[in-house]
Amino acid sequence: MNVVDVDTPGGSYPIHIGPGRLDALDQCIPADATAIAVVTNPTVAALYGERAEAALARTGKRVLRIELPDGEAYKDWQSLNLIFDALLTHRLDRRCVLVALGGGVIGDMTGFAAAVYMRGVRFLQVPTTLLAQVDSSVGGKTAVNHPLGKNMIGAFYQPLAVEIDTDVLNTLPAREVSAGLAEVIKYGLILDPDFWTWCEVNAEKLRALDSQAVTYAIRRSCELKAQVVGKDERESGLRAILNLGHTFGHAIESGLGYGAWLHGEAVGCGMVQAAELSADVAGFDRADVERVRALVTAIGCPAVAPDLGADRWLDLMQVDKKTEGGEIRYVLMTRIGEAITRAAPDDAVRAVLARTTQ
Amino acid sequence: MNVVDVDTPGGSYPIHIGPGRLDALDQCIPADATAIAVVTNPTVAALYGERAEAALARTGKRVLRIELPDGEAYKDWQSLNLIFDALLTHRLDRRCVLVALGGGVIGDMTGFAAAVYMRGVRFLQVPTTLLAQVDSSVGGKTAVNHPLGKNMIGAFYQPLAVEIDTDVLNTLPAREVSAGLAEVIKYGLILDPDFWTWCEVNAEKLRALDSQAVTYAIRRSCELKAQVVGKDERESGLRAILNLGHTFGHAIESGLGYGAWLHGEAVGCGMVQAAELSADVAGFDRADVERVRALVTAIGCPAVAPDLGADRWLDLMQVDKKTEGGEIRYVLMTRIGEAITRAAPDDAVRAVLARTTQ
């Protein structure tokens, strides 16, 4: 088993990575917990619900299951309220523990529910998608969507632990594997040129879920993310570079309606667009733009964005949380392994949109 | 002007108490703020909206007004969402500042909106009721109600500052003055026997809003509350004593429907019930129970609780956040100025209900 430690002002906790972690969840529940609520969706529940609950039941504590509808389209207040309704109906108190068993949507919503139920209860992240394992489950960002914007309502709230069972990836659809790999290569692109090159060499192994390669990729991704959030939990500076590809990506997701593209697919495509903009305004090497496009394609993500119309694109990006005083802040590369955040002229962005959408 | 400093792990900030604070709100807005949203209700807006906004406009920043329906009955997700809708429609970013201009409902909702909008923006408390000035605006408890329980969804989130304009009390209905005084005398009863005696002596002056007496009462209340929340921001222990009267009080509010009694009225009556229970199970002097009943009556609060039926009473109190493992924790006095939290046998509670309800 691999262990990565996360250390932030809001809490320190371990990430455990390895096979069979689902069967060891009881070890993560504090002795003083009064009850446990597993929040999941029907798809994940059918595959892993009973195993997780059997492990948790070994604590001798009451274990409640809360199933939410599956998909980004349901990452809203209504679903969140299903959690509150269940917790209150079953009278779970301040010392209960929530367990997020699922992908990023389940993790973000369960984390936010934990942040605000009775002004904060403890929770455990048990991510079952590659994307959630390398990104959303680590670092304490929790949220739900608002009709006027993605992740607009949320909190920074750290879990007790992140339990990554590498076995669960074997039931993941290939498209979700590709979406997860987009976030994996992102860490190389913004922080670690050696890891980027390693990803280029191992792209085929990663797509094929080679156990050793995937475990290393998860571990290295978690290490890099832990480094960043350890320095900047609340995204006042450095942490913003983790949003590479997300400003363009959010516009794709929001413009097409949440759920049409997977989040990781939108981020993968957004990275190509950010690379193009980086070459135009931040001195990023044109040859490296092609390396980004090639690797995004190699991991199975789209590299051409939908044509939403340039005005609509700019409008959708404007609503992103990363604007300051109405100005959009882009994450841009100066070279592979080095990222900055800055504004860019609308004309430059329109030029990029013209050659990256279709 | 009086200044009380609040120092918690979640933030340090001043409470300014004095006449004319409404006209100085511009001094509280940080230079890097991008926009200001004043959250208020129609009643308060008609009285103080323009004055507050005129002061804030002197910053040169954009000032938006958001009016929510007035009353505890509207302290819910729907009202909260009106805030989010307005902030997103007008594209306020992470560096905006929310200003809570109103009573406890406005303060709790605006604080919670600030805690979760874009995962946290800054906010200012400008309480316009005595109750909010001495209680809810200080200490960072924010929340909305859920159909299954009061304040069930919320966060601990500290403001930039609390601006208490003592002039605004002159437009406060007498019933609201009494309700606020319930929280004032509470501080004496749990923490400061000298202040309790001072309240007994000055009850008439306080009800008549004698300027010197009221200013001292607000200052002393804020000092005592700041001491407690400075030691225990997240209510893991000590802070729970501030809930004196609230377990019984919540049952009254919830049992009759939020808004039938004012929160402070319910707390006042709940203090009498807690005093009775304290005498029965915690050695509190019977003569002091009568002093509590007399002072609650003297400040104009009801001292006899509604007859909800004993089973329903216990049921309503059970849902309160202060239960642990299903057991209700009561705040009880051992003597005037000293409080503890502990469980009590249902039979003892039923005996108290039998003689305090009608």
Side-chain angles (χ1 to χ4, degrees):
Chain A
M1 182 182 67
N2 289 273
V3 182
V4 176
D5 288 310
V6 186
D7 190 14
T8 75
S12 297
Y13 53 94
I15 306 170
H16 297 131
I17 307 159
R21 293 307 303 163
L22 266 188
D23 304 308
L25 291 180
D26 51 317
Q27 296 164 23
C28 307
I29 304 297
D32 71 343
T34 46
I36 301 164
V38 177
V39 184
T40 186
N41 66 40
T43 313
V44 176
L47 291 165
Y48 303 114
E50 287 186 21
R51 256 178 74 199
E53 284 159 15
L56 292 166
R58 281 198 296 274
T59 60
K61 299 175 195 297
R62 184 160 59 122
V63 180
L64 179 71
R65 182 191 292 185
I66 303 171
E67 286 191 21
L68 306 181
D70 190 2
E72 179 83 28
Y74 298 99
K75 188 178 168 182
D76 58 12
W77 176 261
Q78 283 70 32
S79 295
L80 197 63
N81 218 27
L82 294 177
I83 304 179
F84 300 141
D85 287 346
L87 296 176
L88 287 167
T89 302
H90 292 88
R91 304 201 160 177
L92 269 66
D93 67 17
R94 282 182 184 173
R95 292 195 305 177
C96 70
V97 175
L98 308 191
V99 177
L101 178 68
V105 172
I106 289 291
D108 282 9
M109 283 204 288
T110 308
F112 185 52
V116 301
Y117 182 62
M118 295 191 174
R119 299 198 184 94
V121 298
R122 294 166 293 186
F123 83 112
L124 205 62
Q125 286 280 17
V126 188
T128 59
T129 66
L130 179 58
L131 186 125
Q133 291 177 344
V134 298
D135 181 27
S136 58
S137 71
V138 176
K141 271 197 184 177
T142 71
V144 294
N145 298 328
H146 184 281
L148 296 176
K150 192 170 149 70
N151 291 330
M152 284 295 156
I153 312 302
F156 292 97
Y157 196 71
Q158 304 295 342
L160 286 175
V162 183
E163 295 296 319
I164 299 179
D165 189 329
T166 47
D167 289 340
V168 304
L169 299 179
N170 297 321
T171 56
L172 202 64
R175 202 178 147 195
E176 300 237 21
V177 173
S178 294
L181 291 173
E183 296 278 0
V184 168
I185 66 172
K186 182 195 74 178
Y187 292 107
L189 194 48
I190 57 176
L191 289 164
D192 185 344
D194 292 342
F195 184 51
W196 171 265
T197 306
W198 181 92
C199 288
E200 288 181 323
V201 173
N202 290 279
E204 277 312 301
K205 280 190 180 174
L206 289 170
R207 279 190 81 174
L209 290 174
D210 172 274
S211 163
Q212 225 176 336
V214 167
T215 301
Y216 175 73
I218 294 171
R219 184 198 169 117
R220 187 68 194 134
S221 298
C222 288
E223 280 172 353
L224 289 164
K225 180 150 191 188
Q227 277 173 26
V228 171
V229 300
K231 287 180 197 156
D232 178 25
E233 182 185 19
R234 298 183 72 89
E235 196 165 306
S236 46
L238 178 65
R239 184 167 181 164
I241 64 169
L242 295 176
N243 294 320
L244 173 65
H246 284 64
T247 301
F248 288 100
H250 278 181
I252 296 173
E253 288 186 86
S254 175
L256 298 180
Y258 296 127
W261 284 36
L262 295 175
H263 174 67
E265 291 173 330
V267 168
C269 184
M271 280 195 283
V272 176
Q273 296 177 285
E276 289 277 0
L277 185 58
S278 302
D280 287 357
V281 305
F284 188 58
D285 195 317
R286 280 251 144 249
D288 288 336
V289 177
E290 295 316 314
R291 284 176 71 187
V292 173
R293 184 173 277 115
L295 186 50
V296 165
T297 305
I299 60 169
C301 282
V304 178
D307 183 7
L308 307 168
D311 291 341
R312 182 120 188 279
W313 263 99
L314 285 165
D315 206 52
L316 289 165
M317 292 196 288
Q318 184 84 27
V319 176
D320 193 82
K321 286 185 301 304
K322 286 169 292 296
T323 62
E324 280 187 14
E327 194 179 61
I328 305 171
R329 306 287 297 178
Y330 294 91
V331 183
L332 301 174
M333 277 80 65
T334 49
R335 58 184 178 189
I336 285 175
E338 199 170 281
I340 54 169
T341 60
R342 48 165 285 194
D346 277 1
D347 284 354
V349 177
R350 285 174 190 273
V352 167
L353 290 171
R355 64 180 192 266
T356 58
T357 60
Q358 176 183 299
Chain B
M1 182 182 67
N2 289 273
V3 183
V4 176
D5 288 310
V6 187
D7 190 14
T8 75
S12 296
Y13 53 95
I15 306 170
H16 297 130
I17 306 159
R21 292 307 303 162
L22 267 187
D23 304 309
L25 291 181
D26 52 316
Q27 297 164 20
C28 308
I29 303 297
D32 71 342
T34 46
I36 301 164
V38 177
V39 183
T40 187
N41 66 40
T43 312
V44 177
L47 291 166
Y48 304 112
E50 286 184 21
R51 256 179 73 198
E53 284 159 14
L56 291 166
R58 281 198 296 274
T59 60
K61 301 177 194 295
R62 182 160 60 121
V63 180
L64 178 72
R65 182 191 293 186
I66 303 172
E67 286 190 22
L68 306 181
D70 190 2
E72 178 84 27
Y74 298 99
K75 188 178 167 181
D76 57 12
W77 176 261
Q78 282 70 33
S79 295
L80 197 63
N81 217 29
L82 294 177
I83 305 179
F84 300 141
D85 287 345
L87 296 176
L88 287 167
T89 301
H90 292 88
R91 302 200 163 179
L92 268 66
D93 68 17
R94 281 181 184 174
R95 292 193 305 176
C96 70
V97 175
L98 308 192
V99 176
L101 179 69
V105 172
I106 288 291
D108 281 10
M109 282 204 290
T110 307
F112 185 52
V116 302
Y117 182 62
M118 295 190 175
R119 299 198 183 94
V121 298
R122 294 166 293 186
F123 84 113
L124 205 62
Q125 287 280 18
V126 188
T128 59
T129 66
L130 179 58
L131 186 125
Q133 291 178 343
V134 298
D135 181 27
S136 58
S137 70
V138 177
K141 270 196 184 181
T142 71
V144 294
N145 297 330
H146 183 280
L148 295 176
K150 192 171 150 68
N151 291 330
M152 284 295 155
I153 312 302
F156 292 97
Y157 196 71
Q158 304 294 343
L160 287 174
V162 182
E163 295 297 318
I164 300 179
D165 190 329
T166 48
D167 290 340
V168 305
L169 298 179
N170 297 322
T171 56
L172 202 63
R175 199 177 149 198
E176 301 236 20
V177 173
S178 294
L181 290 174
E183 296 278 1
V184 169
I185 67 172
K186 182 195 74 179
Y187 293 107
L189 194 47
I190 57 176
L191 288 164
D192 185 343
D194 292 342
F195 184 52
W196 172 264
T197 306
W198 181 92
C199 290
E200 287 180 324
V201 172
N202 291 279
E204 276 313 301
K205 280 191 180 173
L206 289 170
R207 276 190 83 174
L209 290 174
D210 172 272
S211 164
Q212 226 177 336
V214 166
T215 302
Y216 175 73
I218 294 172
R219 185 201 168 115
R220 187 67 194 136
S221 296
C222 288
E223 280 172 354
L224 288 165
K225 180 149 192 188
Q227 277 172 25
V228 171
V229 301
K231 289 180 194 156
D232 178 25
E233 183 184 19
R234 299 183 71 89
E235 197 165 302
S236 46
L238 178 64
R239 184 167 182 163
I241 64 169
L242 296 175
N243 294 319
L244 173 65
H246 284 64
T247 300
F248 288 100
H250 279 181
I252 296 173
E253 288 186 85
S254 174
L256 298 179
Y258 295 127
W261 284 35
L262 295 175
H263 174 67
E265 291 174 330
V267 168
C269 184
M271 279 195 284
V272 176
Q273 297 179 285
E276 290 278 0
L277 185 59
S278 301
D280 286 357
V281 305
F284 189 58
D285 196 317
R286 280 251 143 249
D288 288 335
V289 177
E290 295 317 313
R291 286 175 70 187
V292 173
R293 185 173 277 115
L295 186 50
V296 165
T297 305
I299 60 170
C301 282
V304 177
D307 182 8
L308 308 168
D311 291 341
R312 182 119 188 280
W313 263 98
L314 285 165
D315 206 50
L316 290 165
M317 292 197 287
Q318 184 83 29
V319 176
D320 192 82
K321 287 186 300 303
K322 287 169 289 296
T323 62
E324 279 188 13
E327 195 179 59
I328 305 170
R329 306 286 297 178
Y330 294 91
V331 184
L332 301 175
M333 277 80 66
T334 49
R335 57 183 178 189
I336 284 176
E338 198 171 282
I340 55 169
T341 61
R342 47 164 286 194
D346 277 1
D347 284 354
V349 177
R350 285 174 191 274
V352 167
L353 291 171
R355 64 178 191 266
T356 57
T357 59
Q358 173 182 299

